[in-house]
């Protein structure tokens, strides 16, 4: 899962990772500010590739605000959520930190109220979907930093040509387990030219949510999990059917958190890779064949996607609330947020900056409009609520077994929903 992007770790790996993180934390930025009279604010993220962009943005901030120094800590994604929970509970968390699973912290009073801190003018700058994602009980709990856009399909145009398929056929493709279905026949034609046609797998953001929404279903109703509906059975039954038919890589290779499908696409073994804008830079850099981006197939309820966002939350008990406010004001502004669009890395959350992402890729001959166009239709929420991170961990192994064909789809969905709901109980 991207998760949205969560992954299940075994206990030994977590313990080892924690020891390494405690003994050798990676601090990036300027050397110590001791004796300078500066206030030091610490920002925690999970992706080191964002450090140059943040460092450039914060260097500009510090030229204007020389009494505040911001230091960046990178905690790798594999151990990020676990360490964050421990540090929030222990009162040792950084002043600011990336979040996508914030509900438990907000409900426990551990996060600062961003709306009250920065005011309505700041909020109006940001992508509405991101604001909605980080709003709970009428309050905003994070400053949106970047959005993934919607889900799209990367295609290997060389393979499509070899299979006699025009990329325009992808735009017309529809899936339906009970009626006219043009997508599976299209995939079968593709396998004449490549080992696998498509990446149907246990991938929460890029596949589970779009198929569930396109079937007319929902993942949650409020804080209740409802993905085991008849529409859910249709969505997951269709995906599992594609795996069973051999049109995708084996489910044993594409378990949640696996990069097997992405790597197979880059190796030319997989023709269609359904994913988000977060894989665009890597594909552009590493693909050695002609490729493009198409809309996802339409289901019974049309094309439905989610648009996950990453935000910066603030420790409600920071010792430096005024400095935190000033840093967040900058990082949430158009001038500060645009650094995250450098090199086409991501889509800034400030709507006025989003053209920078489009312009960067357009200059390189890549049309990224499918990531945006799919969001003109209905959307499916990316999820949240009490115990949501634990719910995803409870769902993952059951879904893996479902895709492996070891548990029938209706039974797997029921078991997964029951396990997920149990995490929300007090």
């Amino acid at each position: 899962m991207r998760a949205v992007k969560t992954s299940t770790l075994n206990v030994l790996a977590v313990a080892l990772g924690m020891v390494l993180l405690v003994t050798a934390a990676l601090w990036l930025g300027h050397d110590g500010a001791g004796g300078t009279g500066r206030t030091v604010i610490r920002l925690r993220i999970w992706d080191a590739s964002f450090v140059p962009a943040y460092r450039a943005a914060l260097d500009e901030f510090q030229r204007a605000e020389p009494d505040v120094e911001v230091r960046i800590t990178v905690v790798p994604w594999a151990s990020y959520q676990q360490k964050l929970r421990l540090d929030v509970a222990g009162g040792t968390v950084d002043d600011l930190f990336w979040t996508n699973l914030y509900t438990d912290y907000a409900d426990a009073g551990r996060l600062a109220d961003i709306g009250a801190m920065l005011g309505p003018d700041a909020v109006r700058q940001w992508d509405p979907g991101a604001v909605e994602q980080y709003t709970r009980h009428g309050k905003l709990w994070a400053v949106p930093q970047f959005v993934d856009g919607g889900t799209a399909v990367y295609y290997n145009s060389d393979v499509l040509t070899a299979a006699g398929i025009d990329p325009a056929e992808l735009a017309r493709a529809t899936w339906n387990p009970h009626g006219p279905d043009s997508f599976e026949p299209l995939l079968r034609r593709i396998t004449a030219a490549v080992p696998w046609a498509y990446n149907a797998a246990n991938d929460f953001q890029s596949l589970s949510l779009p198929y569930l929404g396109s079937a007319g279903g929902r993942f949650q109703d409020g804080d209740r999990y409802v993905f085991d509906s008849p529409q859910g059975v249709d969505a997951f039954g269709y995906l599992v059917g594609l795996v069973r038919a051999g049109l995708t890589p084996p489910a044993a290779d594409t378990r949640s958190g696996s990069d097997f499908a992405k790597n197979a696409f880059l190796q030319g073994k997989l023709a269609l890779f359904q994913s988000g804008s977060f894989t665009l830079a890597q594909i552009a850099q590493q693909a050695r064949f002609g490729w493009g981006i198409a809309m996802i197939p339409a289901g019974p309820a049309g094309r439905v996607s989610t648009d996950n966002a990453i935000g910066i939350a603030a420790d409600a008990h920071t010792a430096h609330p005024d400095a935190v406010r000033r840093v967040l004001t900058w990082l949430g502004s158009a001038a500060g947020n645009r650094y995250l669009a450098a090199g086409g890395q991501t889509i800034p959350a400030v709507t006025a900056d989003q053209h920078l992402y489009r312009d960067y890729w357009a200059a390189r001959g890549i049309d990224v409009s499918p990531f945006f166009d799919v969001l003109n239709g209905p959307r499916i929420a990316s999820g949240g609520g009490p115990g949501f991170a634990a719910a995803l961990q409870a769902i993952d192994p059951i879904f893996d077994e479902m895709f492996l064909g070891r548990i029938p789809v209706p039974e797997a969905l029921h078991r997964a929903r029951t396990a997920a709901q149990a995490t929300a109980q007090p």
Side-chain angles (χ1 to χ4, degrees), residues 4 11 33 53 75 78 81 90 101 110 116 145 147 188 190 211-212 219 263 282 312 332 348 357 393 395:
V4 33
V11 174
V75 177
Q81 301 295 353
L101 302 173
R110 300 302 185 107
Q145 288 292 278
V147 298
R188 291 187 181 277
I190 291 173
Y211 272 86
L212 182 60
F219 191 73
N263 293 335
Q282 184 177 0
I312 294 179
Y357 179 85
Q393 289 188 331
I395 290 168

Side-chain angles (χ1 to χ4, degrees), residues 166-362:
D166 189 307
E169 290 189 56
L170 294 177
R172 299 190 296 269
T174 60
W175 71 270
N176 192 328
H178 305 297
D181 175 23
S182 64
F183 192 50
E184 183 172 350
L186 181 68
L187 300 182
R188 291 187 181 277
R189 291 166 57 194
I190 291 173
T191 54
V194 73
W196 302 302
Y198 186 55
N199 64 314
N202 181 14
D203 183 326
F204 181 71
Q205 181 172 333
S206 296
L207 289 154
S208 296
L209 287 178
Y211 272 86
L212 182 60
S214 295
R218 292 180 292 173
F219 191 73
Q220 288 176 282
D221 180 3
D223 290 340
R224 293 189 308 110
Y225 296 90
V226 294
F227 54 80
D228 62 339
S229 62
Q231 295 86 355
V233 173
D234 284 346
F236 289 100
Y238 189 86
L239 286 171
V240 171
L242 297 180
V243 177
R244 188 185 305 118
L247 300 172
T248 75
D253 293 324
T254 58
R255 292 173 182 265
S256 177
S258 169
D259 283 332
F260 185 93
K262 179 178 65 179
N263 293 335
F265 179 77
L266 290 169
Q267 294 162 5
K269 299 176 181 178
L270 176 75
L272 307 179
F273 177 58
Q274 184 162 313
S275 186
S277 60
F278 45 85
T279 55
L280 175 56
Q282 184 177 0
I283 288 172
Q285 180 181 23
Q286 298 184 21
R288 298 294 180 262
F289 47 80
W291 60 278
I293 306 170
M295 298 281 278
I296 58 176
R303 292 184 178 87
V304 181
S305 179
T306 189
D307 63 333
N308 185 51
I310 302 300
I312 294 179
D315 176 18
H317 305 294
T318 178
H320 311 291
D322 180 65
V324 162
R325 177 189 59 78
R326 289 151 65 190
V327 173
L328 287 179
T329 297
W330 170 251
L331 291 178
S333 71
N337 193 228
R338 69 183 53 185
Y339 284 91
L340 298 185
Q345 185 171 20
T346 194
I347 304 169
V350 174
T351 54
D353 285 343
Q354 291 182 350
H355 74 92
L356 299 173
Y357 179 85
R358 290 175 176 261
D359 294 348
Y360 176 90
W361 290 110

Side-chain angles (χ1 to χ4, degrees), residues 2-13:
R2 173 178 165 83
V4 33
K5 281 177 150 172
T6 55
S7 60
T8 304
L9 304 174
N10 60 53
V11 174
L12 179 60

